[in-house]
Amino acid sequence: MSDTIFTVNSPCSRPSIAPYCERVRQMVTPRRFEHIVRVAILAEAIARANEFSRDELRATCLAAILHDVARDLPPAEMLALAPPRTELEREHPLSVHGRAGRRLVEQWGISDKRVLDAIEGHVFGVSHNNRIGMAVYIADVSEPGRGVNDEIRELAMHNLFRAYQRALDAKVRYLQANGKAVHPVTLRVHQEICDHT
Ligand SMILES: [Fe+2]
C-alpha cells in the first residue's frame, strides 16, 4: 500500500478522521482503500475550492472516507444491512452498498444526516441542495485513479453544481444508450437537476 495515504495531504492525517480511516482500512481491499483515500483527498480539494465552511469540510472528508465502507462486505452481510428494494437492486446486489454503508456507520454512532446522505447517495445520486453529497459523488467518479472524467474534476473546482450535473447526466445517458435500467433515485435526482437548471 502506498505510504502517501497518511501524509499531511490526506484527510487521514486529521485526528478527527484518522480513527475512521483505520476502521475502513480493515474492512476493504488495499486497492479499494487507495481509491477511498484518493476520493477523500479530491473531495476535500473540491470542498475548499467551493468555499465550504470548516464544518462542511470535515463532514465532506468523513463521508468520503466512509463512502465505500460496505463495498467489500460478503454479499449476505451487505444484503442483511440493505435488503434490495427494487428489481434493479435485486439484479445488481452490489448496488445496495451505499445504503449498506449508511446503515453500518449509523451502527458506529454517526448521525450527521449530511454524511449519511452522502454515503448512500454516492451510488445513485443526491439532491442538488446537498453540497457535501455532490462533492463526494464527483470525487468518486473523477478521482485520478479512474482515468476518466478529468474535465468533470476540473469543472468541480469552480462550479460544483455544473460538474455534478455533467456527471449525473453522463451516467444517465450512458445507461440509456446501452439499454440498461436507470435506478428510480437516479432518475428522480436527474430530473430534479434538469428542472433546477
Ligand atoms: Fe461505491
Side-chain angles (χ1 to χ4, degrees):
M1 185 176 308
S2 165
D3 289 336
T4 60
I5 280 169
F6 291 101
T7 65
V8 288
N9 293 324
S10 161
C12 289
S13 64
R14 293 164 172 255
S16 65
I17 306 288
Y20 293 107
C21 292
E22 195 46 46
R23 210 161 170 178
V24 169
R25 185 151 71 111
Q26 290 167 13
M27 297 189 60
V28 297
T29 65
R31 273 191 65 170
R32 182 89 53 210
F33 189 66
E34 291 188 2
H35 158 72
I36 287 169
V37 174
R38 286 193 300 268
V39 170
I41 291 170
L42 179 56
E44 180 173 12
I46 292 170
R48 286 187 189 282
N50 287 275
E51 300 181 337
F52 282 24
S53 69
R54 281 175 65 94
D55 180 55
E56 285 179 304
L57 192 66
R58 183 188 174 278
T60 301
C61 290
L62 184 57
I65 285 296
L66 296 173
H67 83 280
D68 264 349
V69 64
R71 181 62 177 70
D72 294 330
L73 284 178
E77 240 176 278
M78 192 188 301
L79 294 173
L81 282 163
R85 291 176 177 168
T86 67
E87 195 54 38
L88 188 151
E89 290 180 2
R90 265 183 287 280
E91 285 174 11
H92 303 280
L94 278 177
S95 69
V96 306
H97 76 272
R99 197 163 67 243
R102 177 190 190 120
R103 295 279 170 269
L104 190 63
V105 304
E106 280 176 332
Q107 292 171 6
W108 294 359
I110 291 174
S111 57
D112 186 333
K113 188 173 180 307
R114 302 168 305 174
V115 173
L116 298 173
D117 285 349
I119 294 168
E120 180 171 352
H122 90 271
V123 179
F124 297 128
V126 295
S127 292
H128 68 277
N129 53 9
N130 182 349
R131 300 212 303 162
I132 292 164
M134 287 196 288
V136 173
Y137 187 96
I138 294 166
D140 183 34
V141 300
S142 69
E143 60 94 349
R146 294 266 196 206
V148 292
N149 295 328
D150 294 0
E151 75 294 348
I152 290 174
R153 183 170 69 241
E154 282 156 25
L155 182 57
M157 294 303 170
H158 53 93
N159 194 327
L160 182 67
F161 178 73
R162 287 272 175 259
Y164 176 62
Q165 186 181 41
R166 193 172 291 186
L168 204 56
D169 209 44
K171 179 169 188 174
V172 170
R173 284 174 194 272
Y174 168 81
L175 291 171
Q176 289 176 336
N178 287 278
K180 295 184 178 177
V182 184
H183 193 276
V185 170
T186 308
L187 284 176
R188 178 173 56 75
V189 296
H190 183 250
Q191 188 59 51
E192 192 186 289
I193 61 162
C194 289
D195 293 345
H196 191 72
T197 306

